[in-house]
Amino acid sequence: FAYTHQYLVNWPPTSTMPRAYSATSFEEEKKLFCKHADFCGSEEATVANLEELSRQFEASSPELRSDHEICLQVVSIDGDLLRFCERSARSNIDVARAAVEASPRALAHANLELGECKKLAIWAVQNYWGALQHAPLELRADPEVVLEAVKTSSCELQHASSKLRNCKQIVLAAIEHRAGALAFASE
């Protein structure tokens, strides 16, 4: 079994012609990928560089996508790339938190134990407006998570479970910030 993984990337990033790279070992693939990810995390990176990083990571080997160090670096640049990480990396709290810090949408792709996911969800809804909509359904039905979310933004009430949209304590907490949140309460 020979280890080969090919890339077609613009490297250096200023080049206009893609070059084919072939990694013959995991270490070579990791080195090539880190070089590109380091650049994408810099201030000189463009949207095209980030799109290329996304394509490159999605096409990379499962070994690379399960490496916690690589995943941590990648999701710190673009949290949405958590969806391409292997299950073991998505289950790592440090990787998941870095992804959510970069993009609250990454909460939907975290593969954490419920207790860890709840802690991350509470942190996310306290720090990012709109994070509740990306939380797993069981956490949208968790009174503690939803209460923290509506304290941050009363509009988060719309993403709560229907049972909690009918909960007096949560509805009152939401309308305390904005009376218009009553429109999101259940009948």
Side-chain angles (χ1 to χ4, degrees):
F1 173 72
Y3 185 103
T4 56
H5 203 82
Q6 295 191 349
Y7 293 101
L8 185 64
V9 297
N10 292 343
W11 191 263
T14 55
S15 69
T16 55
M17 292 298 294
R19 291 179 49 196
Y21 288 93
S22 181
T24 56
S25 71
F26 173 69
E27 289 306 315
E28 281 185 47
E29 180 184 24
K30 187 174 178 177
K31 184 178 176 182
L32 174 66
F33 192 82
C34 284
K35 187 176 180 182
H36 187 71
D38 282 343
F39 175 77
C40 287
S42 72
E43 291 183 14
E44 298 88 40
T46 64
V47 171
N49 297 128
L50 297 175
E51 289 171 354
E52 186 176 317
L53 176 69
S54 177
R55 285 190 302 272
Q56 186 180 13
F57 188 61
E58 182 180 9
S60 67
S61 69
E63 292 90 351
L64 190 78
R65 289 182 283 121
S66 64
D67 185 285
H68 292 191
E69 181 184 334
I70 292 290
C71 290
L72 189 59
Q73 182 180 17
V74 169
V75 302
S76 295
I77 296 167
D78 182 352
D80 292 330
L81 294 180
L82 182 65
R83 70 184 185 274
F84 299 126
C85 293
E86 293 293 315
R87 179 181 288 258
S88 66
R90 286 182 290 139
S91 300
N92 180 283
I93 187 66
D94 295 327
V95 172
R97 185 171 181 137
V100 172
E101 284 179 6
S103 171
R105 291 186 305 260
L107 191 56
H109 304 292
N111 187 34
L112 302 170
E113 296 292 326
L114 189 59
E116 288 294 318
C117 195
K118 181 176 177 175
K119 290 178 195 173
L120 182 61
I122 288 172
W123 176 85
V125 299
Q126 289 172 336
N127 291 284
Y128 298 102
W129 180 87
L132 186 62
Q133 67 183 314
H134 304 293
L137 293 176
E138 58 267 16
L139 293 179
R140 292 191 219 174
D142 185 295
E144 186 180 357
V145 174
V146 174
L147 188 58
E148 289 300 321
V150 299
K151 286 179 182 176
T152 302
S153 170
S154 55
C155 293
E156 291 283 41
L157 186 60
Q158 67 185 314
H159 302 297
S161 69
S162 59
K163 181 181 176 184
L164 292 183
R165 283 185 278 141
N166 200 31
C167 173
K168 184 177 181 179
Q169 177 189 12
I170 290 175
V171 172
L172 287 174
I175 61 174
E176 184 178 307
H177 294 284
R178 183 171 163 252
L182 193 57
F184 302 121
S186 294
E187 296 298 321

